[in-house]
Structures are given as C-alpha cells and as structure tokens.
Amino acid sequence: MPKESKESKIPELIIGVRNFAALKACQQHADAVYFSLDRLSLRSRAQEITTENLASFIDEIHSQGLKGYLAVNSVIYPDNLNELDEVLEYAASAEVDAVIAWDPATITKAAEKDLRIHISTQANVSNQITAEFYRSLGASRVVLARELSLEQIAEIKKDTKIELEAFVHGAMCQAISGRCYLSAYLLGKSGNCGECSQPCRWEWSLHSDNGAIVDIEGKYLMSAKDLCMIEYIPELVKAGIDSFKVEGRLRNPGYTATVSESYRKAIDLFKEGNFTKDKVLPLKEKMALEYNRGFSTGFYFGYPGPDSLAFDFDMNASPVKREAVGIVTNYYPKQSAAAVKLMEQGLKNGDRIIIEGSTSYLEQEVTSIALEGKAVNSVERGNEIGLAVEDVVRKNDRVFRIKK
C-alpha cells in the first residue's frame, strides 16, 4: 500500500469508558471518551458514574485535555421525562462536551439547555438527507448506522455538512443499529432501556418443521464477531469519517488500555505517512489477547456473511482468560501490601494477576505472599493473605488470575 499524505485530516479517536480506572487506562491515547450514567443509556449496567460524581469525572477528563461525551440514548417513556430533565441539568452543570441522543425528547431538552448534540447510532442514520435533518434540529454530529459500507459513507459525506462519527472497533449487535427486542421478549429486560441480557450470545439449535434438529456448523447461531478496522485506517479516512469510535463501556481497563493504544499507534502511523498492514498486524494480534469474540470488518466492505458470526466459541475468543480469585479487604501503603480474601481460588508466587476497581487497575506478578505473618509460596482458597502490590489498590477491589 502506498504511503498516505500527511495532509489528510486525522479523525478524532473516541474510547468508551465505564469509570475512572478506564479513563486512566486510555487518557494517553484518546482524544475523547464517551460514557453513560447509571440510567437512561444502553449501558445502564455501568453503574460507577452517577449524577453525584459526574462533575468530578468531567473535570478529570478535561484535566487530561480530552473531551467527554455523555450517552443519554435509551427509549424515553412518559415516566422518564422528569428524570431526563434532571440528568440533562447535571450534564449542563458539569459542562459535558456533548450529549449522545436519538429520542426527540432528549434532543429537544438538550437543545433547550444549550448542550451540544451528537445523534446516537440508535437513530440508524443511513443517508445524507437524514443526516441533514438532524443538523436542522441543532445536532453537530451523527454517529452513523453500523450497517453502512465505506462507499455509502463517502456518498453521505459529499452531501452533508454535519460531522460523521463511526464505530471502528467493538461489539456488534445482531439487530439493526441495536434496536433489538429479543432480550425484552425472552427475559423482560429491554436492550433499548440499557438492560440487554444478550440472548444472541447463547447457544441455539435450529429445528426443522418436523422438530428434528438441523445439523449446522457451530452452536452460537446469532453471535456476531467484534468489529475491528485497524487494518483499514486509510480507507476509513478516505471515506470522510471525522471521528473513530471504539465500543467497550462494559469491558475492563486492560482492554481499554490495549485497544486505545493500538488504534492511536495505527492512526499515528497513518499521520506520519508510514501506515502499512504489516505494521498494524502486530497491534491486531495484541488486541486479540484481550476479551473479544473474534474479529470482522462488519458491513464496511459489503453485507457480512457467515465468517462474521462467532459460531464456535462462548463469548470470549481470546486465549487469555481471567479467573476470579478474591477481594481486597485492606491496603497498607507503607508496606506496599494489600490484605486479600481468597474467596474463589488460591494463589502462588509467579501467578500473573489483575487487581481492578472503579478507580484502580493493576496488572502484576505475585512476588510475595504472607499467611498469618509468615512468607509462603502458595496458599489455598478460603484464606486471607498479605500480598505485595506494585501500586495503590483499594478496599473491595477484585483480584483475578490471568490464565493463558
């Protein structure tokens, strides 16, 4: 592939985060982050950012020179309207850089509070007339439907003045622009109100009219692979995309760090005129060691076929797994040690572990274990131990062992 011009516009890199730890993990690589509160978004299971700490979260984002976009993109019912007013008032007071919305009620009320508006992918914006319609309502950006090809995006770009944002990495929904009713129908938990239980990731069997099970490849018949476009940065730029969006608001800070760093390196290679697929393939391989469902290019090069479905594996295709070990019960800064209750697994020296909380993320090797004041090489589940740690951890942080 020929080198790209250094004069090409470099898109903004936006990373999804769920808490302060994830923000810290990507702050050296992202241009902006997007996140949700514990309500009125499609990731309401991400409970750690609330109206109470929103202002401090935005202050931390801005202190790192980043922008912060708040997703308020759930369905709004009549009994949600007062809550919507409250959330948007907090957003305006905290000076979020934009609200991601699609429901006309949210758009209208955000505009009344002079909040910058980005139209959510839930709106399924798939052509230039629709993009311009939202611009006429005061939106400054649309997050395009995931079901568009690069050719279609380029055509939209020619005929609209609004900024275009597109997903380049992360989970793909089996429904058009995420407008899925499967979870609500089967479990009473609406994906459109932030409660998706992901039944599309379950094992399913296919039955014929007479009840016989049809023998087909794989078991996970509706589970889409993750989107990964790191090999195609030049094509994405050429299509006119202004902002690259990485999904992952429910994934751990280690994932956030690796993916954000990989895309930053790939974008920088393009910016410097040094981008080649050979140079970014190691970045893709590194991302494959984090939680993923396998990778595909989604709809960017045409309608995806069977190769875009994760038929054969349950949720995580990475060879690296995390096993729950226990919980931090105390931290002793002078000793650089933590007290850990081993609830699920034992530990031994040499194990690779992760300690993770809403404001903490630490990956290290176990180098020193103490049981009842004595150094030991290994210890079984059920004990409380002293563990040497390389950075600050906090009470109630979770401890995981990395298994390869």
Side-chain angles (χ1 to χ4, degrees):
M1 178 180 293
K3 292 184 177 181
E4 299 295 330
S5 169
K6 294 182 180 180
E7 296 179 0
S8 299
K9 180 180 178 182
I10 304 303
E12 175 186 53
L13 178 61
I14 310 172
I15 306 295
V17 298
R18 66 180 297 172
N19 54 27
F20 283 89
L23 172 61
K24 183 179 178 181
C26 71
Q27 64 190 24
Q28 299 300 317
H29 315 302
D31 298 305
V33 296
Y34 76 103
F35 62 95
S36 52
L37 300 182
D38 55 350
R39 46 191 164 142
L40 301 187
S41 86
L42 298 194
R43 294 293 185 273
S44 292
R45 285 183 291 146
Q47 299 280 316
E48 290 143 303
I49 306 301
T50 66
T51 52
E52 284 69 32
N53 63 3
L54 174 60
S56 62
F57 190 62
I58 289 294
D59 286 345
E60 181 62 23
I61 291 169
H62 289 166
S63 75
Q64 301 301 322
L66 309 181
K67 293 182 178 180
Y69 305 141
L70 172 64
V72 188
N73 58 347
S74 68
V75 174
I76 303 297
Y77 292 103
D79 56 356
N80 297 133
L81 288 171
N82 288 338
E83 186 176 30
L84 176 63
D85 273 327
E86 180 186 3
V87 166
L88 293 178
E89 191 61 46
Y90 273 99
S93 177
E95 298 183 353
V96 302
D97 294 287
V99 168
I100 303 169
W102 68 270
D103 191 299
T106 308
I107 295 169
T108 300
K109 288 179 175 291
E112 289 172 355
K113 299 180 188 303
D114 293 323
L115 286 160
R116 191 176 178 89
I117 300 164
H118 294 175
I119 301 301
S120 169
T121 192
Q122 291 288 109
N124 189 229
V125 176
S126 303
N127 62 73
Q128 52 269 51
I129 295 176
T130 303
E132 283 295 289
F133 166 76
Y134 282 113
R135 189 168 75 90
S136 74
L137 296 182
S140 60
R141 179 183 298 184
V142 294
V143 185
L144 293 168
R146 284 183 173 94
E147 295 77 28
L148 291 171
S149 69
L150 286 171
E151 184 178 350
Q152 290 168 326
I153 292 172
E155 188 172 349
I156 293 169
K157 183 66 176 180
K158 286 191 300 185
D159 295 320
T160 183
K161 296 178 181 178
I162 200 167
E163 293 177 355
L164 303 183
E165 180 175 313
F167 283 93
V168 299
H169 193 94
M172 292 284 284
C173 184
Q174 57 85 27
I176 296 293
S177 286
R179 305 297 290 274
C180 182
Y181 290 90
L182 192 60
S183 179
Y185 180 78
L186 293 175
L187 302 165
K189 294 183 178 295
S190 173
N192 297 297
C193 294
E195 297 182 318
C196 182
S197 296
Q198 298 187 321
C200 60
R201 309 296 182 185
W202 297 352
E203 286 190 43
W204 291 85
S205 58
L206 184 63
H207 295 250
S208 66
D209 290 342
N210 64 11
I213 296 178
V214 180
D215 185 15
I216 60 173
E217 180 185 357
K219 300 176 182 178
Y220 303 95
L221 306 182
M222 293 191 290
S223 184
K225 290 181 179 178
D226 288 354
L227 179 66
C228 178
M229 288 293 289
I230 197 164
E231 297 172 81
Y232 303 100
I233 300 297
E235 289 86 346
L236 293 165
V237 174
K238 185 178 179 181
I241 298 170
D242 298 294
S243 297
F244 292 169
K245 191 167 196 171
V246 173
E247 176 59 289
R249 281 174 288 161
L250 293 179
R251 298 192 182 179
N252 65 70
Y255 169 95
T256 305
T258 297
V259 175
S260 62
E261 180 182 24
S262 296
Y263 274 89
R264 172 51 58 201
K265 286 181 176 179
I267 292 168
D268 286 348
L269 283 170
F270 173 81
K271 181 180 179 180
E272 295 159 3
N274 295 321
F275 185 98
T276 67
K277 287 191 177 182
D278 286 343
K279 289 181 179 179
V280 298
L281 277 175
L283 302 176
K284 183 178 180 181
E285 291 167 359
K286 184 177 180 180
M287 291 192 296
L289 299 177
E290 299 295 335
Y291 185 100
N292 73 90
R293 301 183 181 95
F295 294 141
S296 82
T297 56
F299 290 77
Y300 279 117
F301 297 103
Y303 200 84
D307 288 344
S308 292
L309 293 173
F311 285 124
D312 295 318
F313 40 83
D314 177 14
M315 297 299 282
N316 188 7
S318 171
V320 179
K321 311 295 183 185
R322 303 199 323 167
E323 296 179 333
V325 170
I327 190 168
V328 174
T329 58
N330 213 333
Y331 172 62
Y332 304 97
K334 291 182 179 179
Q335 290 80 22
S336 296
V340 176
K341 179 69 173 178
L342 301 177
M343 298 186 298
E344 295 96 355
Q345 304 274 345
L347 273 181
K348 66 180 185 299
N349 284 328
D351 281 345
R352 195 78 187 164
I353 61 169
I354 290 170
I355 304 177
E356 177 184 322
S358 61
T359 59
S360 314
Y361 185 81
L362 172 63
E363 183 176 334
Q364 68 165 68
E365 183 178 315
V366 176
T367 58
S368 177
I369 303 172
L371 179 63
E372 297 179 350
K374 297 180 180 179
V376 295
N377 186 57
S378 64
V379 64
E380 298 299 317
R381 182 183 69 177
N383 291 289
E384 184 162 354
I385 63 170
L387 180 70
V389 292
E390 297 173 1
D391 202 350
V392 176
V393 296
R394 293 168 177 83
K395 186 177 180 180
N396 295 323
D397 285 354
R398 293 288 283 149
V399 183
F400 301 89
R401 179 167 49 220
I402 301 172
K403 183 179 179 181
K404 297 183 179 180

